[in-house]
Amino acid sequence: MRFGPYSLLLLVAAANGFLFAVLLRTSLGRHHGSAWLSALIAAIALRLMPYLLGFAGAYDLHPALTFAPFDFTLAWGPLLWVYTTTLATGVAPSRTWWHFVPAALQGIYQLICFALPLQAKWDWYTGTHLHIIELWGAFAVLLSLGVYSAASWLQHARWQQWLDENVSNREESRLTWLSLMLVGIMGTGALGAVMMTVHLVVRPLDYFARLPIIVVLAVLTYVIGLLGFRFGRGAIPMSRTGLAPLPVEPAAAPVAMKDYLAQAAAWRTRVVQHAWHRDPQLTLTTLASALGTSPRTLSRTLRNGIGVSFNEFINELRVRDAAERLCQAGAPDILRVALEVGFSSKASFNRAFQRHLGTTPTALRTAAIPATASQFPPIAPVARIEATE
């Protein structure tokens, strides 16, 4: 075999993909859904192998390699959806196996063809396979990837909404990394559809003309492997309700529509007085328990009373708390302030600060501007939610 620039590029990409697939099964990268992501990356890296071997001349030297089972593209969509669902909920969907029946049939077909005598294999490949099976198989792959990508995106959107409504450390639980993975895979599917259209309508695309989609797959294996390995362990599944359960007071009386604003203001005052917003692990459930109400009532009151989600409500309090501190003489450094008011990193603090006050912590401190629109009662000493009034 001869390794030129194309085959070397694909060799590095495939090796990268298989490396991430292995790392995601070890303690270094294991998390909810990591096994499914590992399988997805391995399946994409495996699809590079025919092109890697082809550009290296392996099929010319060893034509018996034709139909070697490298193509499990009908598993890509289901693996993506199961991974996203498992990350979002903490458990894999029930009756998962039937989603992989098409991929199993795809593998069986390749094994049967691979076992044919060389001449029969070549006749089948150049005839029925290239002109019928491969064409309809490509349509099936694009349809599968489109349907499962759409389902994954809907699950991603539901998860994102849940995080906004239930988790206070919203900046640390952003799903930008998962969005990039989904967009990358959907974009790859769209490119495949364009190339299929060109192949059918404009001119047939030979082995070398398909290189762009293969290069995209090479990049995709690296990107989704890196993102899943780097951020997957920090994902907060929807099954998590917060810290250990707290003693729940009798439920408060239902809030009338006209009283939403007053009730939200009263609860905001209590949160500030107790400095509950400074708890980095604060969730909708734990705060509702401390306030003697239900998570649903708290969320509805915040939405209808002051027009914000739970996450926006808590992070605005944190930002204003930090702004007041930064404007005081002898205030500690910005990172320390960020951690003391409930943020888990300086980057997330800066993003929230910019969004809520329209400036940066450094600019505010340098200009010594009084805390903008500080309408809240004085902030009490740090205290986690341990008791309710």
Side-chain angles (χ1 to χ4, degrees), residues 268-324:
R268 183 171 61 183
T269 299
R270 288 185 60 189
V271 170
V272 173
Q273 287 175 341
H274 291 276
W276 287 334
H277 61 282
R278 295 181 187 169
D279 181 357
Q281 300 182 62
L282 184 66
T283 67
L284 180 72
T285 301
T286 53
L287 182 59
S289 175
L291 292 170
T293 189
S294 68
R296 181 179 179 182
T297 298
L298 175 56
S299 179
R300 186 172 63 244
T301 301
L302 294 177
R303 282 290 186 191
N304 294 333
I306 53 181
V308 297
S309 66
F310 166 74
N311 174 265
E312 292 169 326
F313 172 70
I314 295 301
N315 277 339
E316 183 180 14
L317 293 181
R318 289 173 176 171
V319 165
R320 293 178 183 276
D321 186 357
E324 292 178 359

Side-chain angles (χ1 to χ4, degrees), residues 46-55 59 68 70-71 207:
L46 202 61
R47 188 65 184 92
L48 300 176
M49 295 303 295
Y51 292 88
L52 190 163
L53 295 174
F55 287 124
Y59 287 106
F70 294 132
D71 186 359
Y207 199 75

